[in-house]
């Protein structure tokens, strides 16, 4: 009986901590030889947007996107402009009912592509 109470209490506290961090951590790594600018990270609902003016070559930026007001299913979107003026949009990943399925996402910007990596799913 005591084990059951401890398990239920543990699961309740875990779910409370997950809801306090209602969102996703993102990291953008610029592995090019040129700066990227006008960087925006958001969800397809576009309720909140992380805006970064510029990320220099071989530099990175980390931020937390709050999803407290998100309600629908959707994906994550990264938009940025390369030094040659070319605007790029990468839409990837998935969240459901406004809840992130992952704790973090990393975007590695290379000269000719963007590599996206998510952590394991939140259990």
């Amino acid at each position: 009986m005591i084990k059951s109470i401890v398990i239920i209490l543990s699961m309740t506290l875990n779910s409370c901590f997950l809801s306090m961090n209602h969102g996703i951590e993102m990291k953008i790594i610029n592995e090019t030889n040129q700066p990227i600018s006008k960087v925006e990270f958001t969800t397809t609902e576009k309720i909140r947007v992380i805006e970064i003016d510029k990320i220099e070559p071989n530099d990175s930026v980390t931020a937390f996107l709050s999803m407290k007001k998100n309600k629908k299913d959707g994906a994550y979107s990264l938009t940025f402009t390369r030094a040659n003026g070319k605007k790029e949009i990468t839409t990837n990943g998935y969240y459901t009912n406004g809840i992130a399925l992952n704790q973090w996402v990393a975007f590695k910007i290379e000269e000719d592509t963007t590599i996206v990596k998510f952590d394991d799913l939140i259990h």
Side-chain angles (χ1 to χ4, degrees):
M1 180 72 167
I2 292 176
K3 286 183 182 179
S4 297
I5 293 172
V6 170
I7 290 172
I8 291 171
L9 183 60
S10 175
M11 289 172 55
T12 303
L13 289 174
N14 250 354
S15 66
C16 289
F17 288 124
L18 287 175
S19 65
M20 284 179 9
N21 291 330
H22 193 71
I24 191 164
E25 182 94 13
M26 70 91 196
K27 183 173 189 173
I28 303 168
I29 307 158
N30 181 4
E31 292 194 345
T32 70
N33 294 323
Q34 302 289 322
I36 58 173
S37 60
K38 300 177 186 172
V39 181
E40 293 184 353
F41 177 71
T42 188
T43 63
T44 50
E45 291 180 83
K46 294 187 179 182
I47 294 172
R48 294 196 181 224
V49 179
I50 294 174
E51 296 177 329
I52 303 158
D53 290 331
K54 185 187 289 187
I55 303 174
E56 295 294 335
N58 302 307
D59 200 2
S60 66
V61 173
T62 303
F64 183 80
L65 179 68
S66 175
M67 296 172 59
K68 289 181 181 177
K69 295 184 179 182
N70 290 68
K71 302 291 181 207
K72 301 177 182 177
D73 291 2
Y76 305 99
S77 179
L78 175 70
T79 305
F80 64 92
T81 303
R82 291 190 182 269
N84 64 5
K86 181 181 176 191
K87 183 177 180 177
E88 294 201 17
I89 301 171
T90 301
T91 303
N92 210 306
Y94 180 73
Y95 64 91
T96 184
N97 296 322
I99 298 171
L101 300 176
N102 303 89
Q103 292 180 345
W104 58 263
V105 58
F107 296 91
K108 190 187 312 181
I109 313 296
E110 296 182 347
E111 294 296 336
D112 60 349
T113 191
T114 300
I115 298 171
V116 184
K117 181 178 181 181
F118 288 86
D119 70 331
D120 294 330
L121 294 176
I122 298 172
H123 303 321

